[in-house]
Amino acid sequence: MTNKALEICYDFPFFLSEELEEIFQAHEKVFFQKGDIILEEGKTANEYYILEKGLARSFVNDFNGNEVTTHFFVENEIIIEVSSLFQRIPTQENIVCITDCECWKFSFETFQELFHKIPNLREWGRAWMSQQLFVYKQRSVEMFTLSATKRYLNLLEQKPHVIQFAPLKQIASFLGVTDTSLSRIRKELVSHPKKI
C-alpha cells in the first residue's frame, strides 16, 4: 500500500520499507463531512489522523464563550491532540472539519503496539514531536513580534487552503485580531500590495 499523505507524514530516513509497509497497513481510511466533530472538548483522544484531503481546525472556547481557533490542519498533516492522546486525559480542544475530509486513522492502541515493536517509529516520533514543539514555539513568539498583516501573509504563504476555505471569523481568531481588522488588512493588501 502506498499513499502520498502517509509517505509525506512518515518521511524519515531510517525507516526500512517493510517497517513503513507495516505502519501504513495499520491505518484505516475514514471520511468526514463538513462540520463533523473529530474530537470534542471533554473527551479523550483515542487515535490520530493523517489528512489526505480537506481542511480541519482545532479551537477552544475562551472565558466569554467565544471560539478561538488554535490550529488549522491542511492536507498531508497529522490531526492530533497530543496531550489528550498520550497523557490519556480529556481534551480542552475541539477538532472540527471545515470541509469534507478524507483521512487515515491510526488508533492509539495499534500505535502503542508498533511503537514498542519498531524502534524507528520511536525515533520518527521523537523527531516529529521536536519539530512540532518548534512550530508551536515559533507561532507563540510571532503573535508578539510580528504585525497582524505579516502574520496573515505568513498564513497565506504556508497554508493557502486556509485563506481559501476557512471563514473569516476563524482566521481572525487564529491570528489574534477582530474580523473587522482582518477585513481591513485584506483590503489594504488588495489595494496597496507593494506597500507591504
Side-chain angles (χ1 to χ4, degrees), residues 107-129:
S107 76
F108 177 71
E109 209 175 285
T110 311
F111 177 81
Q112 286 291 91
E113 248 173 63
L114 294 185
F115 193 73
H116 294 294
K117 182 180 174 186
I118 304 171
N120 280 328
L121 185 59
R122 291 199 290 277
E123 290 311 310
W124 168 83
R126 271 196 268 274
W128 182 85
M129 197 69 85

mmCIF file of all heavy atoms in Angstrom, residues 107-129:
data_model
loop_
_atom_site.group_PDB
_atom_site.id
_atom_site.type_symbol
_atom_site.label_atom_id
_atom_site.label_comp_id
_atom_site.label_asym_id
_atom_site.label_seq_id
_atom_site.Cartn_x
_atom_site.Cartn_y
_atom_site.Cartn_z
ATOM 1 N N SER A 107 -5.123 4.149 15.351
ATOM 2 C CA SER A 107 -5.609 4.066 16.729
ATOM 3 C C SER A 107 -4.443 4.077 17.713
ATOM 4 O O SER A 107 -3.346 3.603 17.409
ATOM 5 C CB SER A 107 -6.448 2.801 16.937
ATOM 6 O OG SER A 107 -5.599 1.673 17.034
ATOM 7 N N PHE A 108 -4.709 4.615 18.897
ATOM 8 C CA PHE A 108 -3.696 4.721 19.944
ATOM 9 C C PHE A 108 -3.157 3.335 20.310
ATOM 10 O O PHE A 108 -1.955 3.145 20.474
ATOM 11 C CB PHE A 108 -4.292 5.403 21.181
ATOM 12 C CG PHE A 108 -3.328 5.497 22.331
ATOM 13 C CD1 PHE A 108 -2.250 6.360 22.285
ATOM 14 C CD2 PHE A 108 -3.500 4.708 23.466
ATOM 15 C CE1 PHE A 108 -1.352 6.445 23.346
ATOM 16 C CE2 PHE A 108 -2.605 4.786 24.529
ATOM 17 C CZ PHE A 108 -1.532 5.656 24.473
ATOM 18 N N GLU A 109 -4.063 2.371 20.409
ATOM 19 C CA GLU A 109 -3.688 1.003 20.784
ATOM 20 C C GLU A 109 -2.684 0.411 19.775
ATOM 21 O O GLU A 109 -1.646 -0.121 20.159
ATOM 22 C CB GLU A 109 -4.967 0.150 20.792
ATOM 23 C CG GLU A 109 -4.920 -1.008 21.750
ATOM 24 C CD GLU A 109 -6.270 -1.713 21.778
ATOM 25 O OE1 GLU A 109 -7.225 -1.172 22.379
ATOM 26 O OE2 GLU A 109 -6.358 -2.779 21.162
ATOM 27 N N THR A 110 -3.006 0.526 18.486
ATOM 28 C CA THR A 110 -2.119 -0.006 17.444
ATOM 29 C C THR A 110 -0.806 0.767 17.408
ATOM 30 O O THR A 110 0.269 0.183 17.236
ATOM 31 C CB THR A 110 -2.802 0.066 16.061
ATOM 32 O OG1 THR A 110 -4.104 -0.490 16.174
ATOM 33 C CG2 THR A 110 -2.029 -0.691 15.020
ATOM 34 N N PHE A 111 -0.898 2.084 17.588
ATOM 35 C CA PHE A 111 0.311 2.904 17.611
ATOM 36 C C PHE A 111 1.245 2.427 18.720
ATOM 37 O O PHE A 111 2.447 2.261 18.510
ATOM 38 C CB PHE A 111 -0.043 4.384 17.815
ATOM 39 C CG PHE A 111 1.162 5.279 17.923
ATOM 40 C CD1 PHE A 111 1.835 5.723 16.788
ATOM 41 C CD2 PHE A 111 1.640 5.671 19.165
ATOM 42 C CE1 PHE A 111 2.957 6.528 16.890
ATOM 43 C CE2 PHE A 111 2.762 6.479 19.270
ATOM 44 C CZ PHE A 111 3.426 6.910 18.132
ATOM 45 N N GLN A 112 0.682 2.189 19.911
ATOM 46 C CA GLN A 112 1.482 1.732 21.056
ATOM 47 C C GLN A 112 2.172 0.403 20.742
ATOM 48 O O GLN A 112 3.345 0.226 21.034
ATOM 49 C CB GLN A 112 0.592 1.555 22.298
ATOM 50 C CG GLN A 112 0.165 2.862 22.929
ATOM 51 C CD GLN A 112 1.330 3.589 23.567
ATOM 52 O OE1 GLN A 112 1.990 4.409 22.939
ATOM 53 N NE2 GLN A 112 1.616 3.292 24.809
ATOM 54 N N GLU A 113 1.422 -0.502 20.135
ATOM 55 C CA GLU A 113 1.965 -1.811 19.749
ATOM 56 C C GLU A 113 3.180 -1.648 18.843
ATOM 57 O O GLU A 113 4.249 -2.207 19.092
ATOM 58 C CB GLU A 113 0.895 -2.574 18.948
ATOM 59 C CG GLU A 113 0.322 -3.786 19.623
ATOM 60 C CD GLU A 113 -0.836 -4.321 18.788
ATOM 61 O OE1 GLU A 113 -0.594 -4.734 17.629
ATOM 62 O OE2 GLU A 113 -1.980 -4.291 19.286
ATOM 63 N N LEU A 114 2.989 -0.869 17.770
ATOM 64 C CA LEU A 114 4.064 -0.690 16.786
ATOM 65 C C LEU A 114 5.207 0.159 17.337
ATOM 66 O O LEU A 114 6.359 -0.018 16.960
ATOM 67 C CB LEU A 114 3.512 -0.087 15.492
ATOM 68 C CG LEU A 114 2.540 -0.971 14.712
ATOM 69 C CD1 LEU A 114 2.147 -0.319 13.391
ATOM 70 C CD2 LEU A 114 3.123 -2.348 14.442
ATOM 71 N N PHE A 115 4.870 1.074 18.229
ATOM 72 C CA PHE A 115 5.862 1.954 18.850
ATOM 73 C C PHE A 115 6.891 1.112 19.607
ATOM 74 O O PHE A 115 8.080 1.403 19.599
ATOM 75 C CB PHE A 115 5.149 2.923 19.795
ATOM 76 C CG PHE A 115 5.989 4.068 20.274
ATOM 77 C CD1 PHE A 115 6.309 5.111 19.422
ATOM 78 C CD2 PHE A 115 6.457 4.118 21.585
ATOM 79 C CE1 PHE A 115 7.076 6.191 19.862
ATOM 80 C CE2 PHE A 115 7.223 5.190 22.032
ATOM 81 C CZ PHE A 115 7.531 6.223 21.164
ATOM 82 N N HIS A 116 6.414 0.043 20.274
ATOM 83 C CA HIS A 116 7.320 -0.828 21.036
ATOM 84 C C HIS A 116 8.008 -1.856 20.142
ATOM 85 O O HIS A 116 9.081 -2.334 20.465
ATOM 86 C CB HIS A 116 6.561 -1.515 22.180
ATOM 87 C CG HIS A 116 6.096 -0.529 23.204
ATOM 88 N ND1 HIS A 116 6.961 0.193 23.995
ATOM 89 C CD2 HIS A 116 4.850 -0.110 23.540
ATOM 90 C CE1 HIS A 116 6.275 1.010 24.780
ATOM 91 N NE2 HIS A 116 4.999 0.846 24.526
ATOM 92 N N LYS A 117 7.382 -2.147 19.017
ATOM 93 C CA LYS A 117 7.907 -3.175 18.117
ATOM 94 C C LYS A 117 8.947 -2.618 17.131
ATOM 95 O O LYS A 117 9.895 -3.298 16.775
ATOM 96 C CB LYS A 117 6.725 -3.778 17.350
ATOM 97 C CG LYS A 117 7.092 -4.887 16.400
ATOM 98 C CD LYS A 117 5.845 -5.402 15.687
ATOM 99 C CE LYS A 117 6.206 -6.403 14.617
ATOM 100 N NZ LYS A 117 5.045 -6.809 13.826
ATOM 101 N N ILE A 118 8.728 -1.362 16.679
ATOM 102 C CA ILE A 118 9.594 -0.776 15.631
ATOM 103 C C ILE A 118 10.385 0.411 16.208
ATOM 104 O O ILE A 118 9.839 1.511 16.351
ATOM 105 C CB ILE A 118 8.741 -0.302 14.423
ATOM 106 C CG1 ILE A 118 7.896 -1.460 13.870
ATOM 107 C CG2 ILE A 118 9.612 0.308 13.337
ATOM 108 C CD1 ILE A 118 6.876 -1.055 12.828
ATOM 109 N N PRO A 119 11.659 0.189 16.552
ATOM 110 C CA PRO A 119 12.454 1.285 17.128
ATOM 111 C C PRO A 119 12.471 2.545 16.254
ATOM 112 O O PRO A 119 12.478 3.662 16.780
ATOM 113 C CB PRO A 119 13.866 0.685 17.247
ATOM 114 C CG PRO A 119 13.643 -0.800 17.301
ATOM 115 C CD PRO A 119 12.431 -1.068 16.463
ATOM 116 N N ASN A 120 12.467 2.383 14.931
ATOM 117 C CA ASN A 120 12.484 3.562 14.050
ATOM 118 C C ASN A 120 11.211 4.401 14.173
ATOM 119 O O ASN A 120 11.242 5.604 13.915
ATOM 120 C CB ASN A 120 12.701 3.140 12.594
ATOM 121 C CG ASN A 120 14.163 2.853 12.308
ATOM 122 O OD1 ASN A 120 15.049 3.468 12.892
ATOM 123 N ND2 ASN A 120 14.423 1.915 11.420
ATOM 124 N N LEU A 121 10.099 3.776 14.571
ATOM 125 C CA LEU A 121 8.864 4.548 14.791
ATOM 126 C C LEU A 121 9.036 5.442 16.015
ATOM 127 O O LEU A 121 8.566 6.580 16.036
ATOM 128 C CB LEU A 121 7.655 3.613 14.958
ATOM 129 C CG LEU A 121 6.292 4.296 15.083
ATOM 130 C CD1 LEU A 121 5.966 5.155 13.857
ATOM 131 C CD2 LEU A 121 5.177 3.260 15.302
ATOM 132 N N ARG A 122 9.753 4.942 17.018
ATOM 133 C CA ARG A 122 10.042 5.767 18.210
ATOM 134 C C ARG A 122 10.901 6.963 17.818
ATOM 135 O O ARG A 122 10.667 8.087 18.253
ATOM 136 C CB ARG A 122 10.747 4.935 19.286
ATOM 137 C CG ARG A 122 9.858 3.882 19.911
ATOM 138 C CD ARG A 122 10.405 3.417 21.252
ATOM 139 N NE ARG A 122 11.623 2.624 21.168
ATOM 140 C CZ ARG A 122 11.653 1.324 20.929
ATOM 141 N NH1 ARG A 122 10.531 0.664 20.720
ATOM 142 N NH2 ARG A 122 12.798 0.676 20.896
ATOM 143 N N GLU A 123 11.924 6.695 16.975
ATOM 144 C CA GLU A 123 12.814 7.775 16.533
ATOM 145 C C GLU A 123 12.049 8.801 15.695
ATOM 146 O O GLU A 123 12.228 10.007 15.846
ATOM 147 C CB GLU A 123 13.999 7.213 15.737
ATOM 148 C CG GLU A 123 14.976 6.428 16.590
ATOM 149 C CD GLU A 123 15.396 7.162 17.849
ATOM 150 O OE1 GLU A 123 15.802 8.335 17.752
ATOM 151 O OE2 GLU A 123 15.292 6.584 18.955
ATOM 152 N N TRP A 124 11.187 8.288 14.808
ATOM 153 C CA TRP A 124 10.353 9.186 13.996
ATOM 154 C C TRP A 124 9.480 10.048 14.921
ATOM 155 O O TRP A 124 9.359 11.263 14.724
ATOM 156 C CB TRP A 124 9.451 8.375 13.045
ATOM 157 C CG TRP A 124 8.387 9.219 12.422
ATOM 158 C CD1 TRP A 124 8.497 10.013 11.325
ATOM 159 C CD2 TRP A 124 7.041 9.397 12.903
ATOM 160 N NE1 TRP A 124 7.309 10.663 11.079
ATOM 161 C CE2 TRP A 124 6.400 10.304 12.047
ATOM 162 C CE3 TRP A 124 6.318 8.877 13.983
ATOM 163 C CZ2 TRP A 124 5.075 10.700 12.214
ATOM 164 C CZ3 TRP A 124 4.994 9.270 14.165
ATOM 165 C CH2 TRP A 124 4.395 10.170 13.277
ATOM 166 N N GLY A 125 8.890 9.408 15.937
ATOM 167 C CA GLY A 125 8.015 10.119 16.885
ATOM 168 C C GLY A 125 8.743 11.239 17.604
ATOM 169 O O GLY A 125 8.217 12.340 17.756
ATOM 170 N N ARG A 126 9.961 10.951 18.013
ATOM 171 C CA ARG A 126 10.761 11.987 18.697
ATOM 172 C C ARG A 126 11.058 13.151 17.759
ATOM 173 O O ARG A 126 10.950 14.313 18.137
ATOM 174 C CB ARG A 126 12.080 11.381 19.196
ATOM 175 C CG ARG A 126 11.971 10.789 20.588
ATOM 176 C CD ARG A 126 13.362 10.577 21.176
ATOM 177 N NE ARG A 126 13.861 9.245 20.888
ATOM 178 C CZ ARG A 126 13.607 8.183 21.640
ATOM 179 N NH1 ARG A 126 12.840 8.300 22.707
ATOM 180 N NH2 ARG A 126 14.104 7.004 21.337
ATOM 181 N N ALA A 127 11.437 12.822 16.526
ATOM 182 C CA ALA A 127 11.763 13.866 15.541
ATOM 183 C C ALA A 127 10.523 14.698 15.227
ATOM 184 O O ALA A 127 10.577 15.936 15.163
ATOM 185 C CB ALA A 127 12.310 13.228 14.267
ATOM 186 N N TRP A 128 9.373 14.026 15.057
ATOM 187 C CA TRP A 128 8.126 14.732 14.747
ATOM 188 C C TRP A 128 7.738 15.657 15.894
ATOM 189 O O TRP A 128 7.371 16.806 15.687
ATOM 190 C CB TRP A 128 7.001 13.721 14.468
ATOM 191 C CG TRP A 128 5.722 14.397 14.094
ATOM 192 C CD1 TRP A 128 5.342 14.823 12.858
ATOM 193 C CD2 TRP A 128 4.649 14.782 14.978
ATOM 194 N NE1 TRP A 128 4.105 15.433 12.914
ATOM 195 C CE2 TRP A 128 3.657 15.417 14.206
ATOM 196 C CE3 TRP A 128 4.436 14.624 16.356
ATOM 197 C CZ2 TRP A 128 2.482 15.905 14.750
ATOM 198 C CZ3 TRP A 128 3.264 15.119 16.906
ATOM 199 C CH2 TRP A 128 2.298 15.747 16.107
ATOM 200 N N MET A 129 7.846 15.136 17.129
ATOM 201 C CA MET A 129 7.449 15.919 18.307
ATOM 202 C C MET A 129 8.331 17.152 18.475
ATOM 203 O O MET A 129 7.837 18.234 18.775
ATOM 204 C CB MET A 129 7.540 15.031 19.548
ATOM 205 C CG MET A 129 6.786 15.575 20.723
ATOM 206 S SD MET A 129 5.006 15.545 20.501
ATOM 207 C CE MET A 129 4.633 13.905 21.024
#
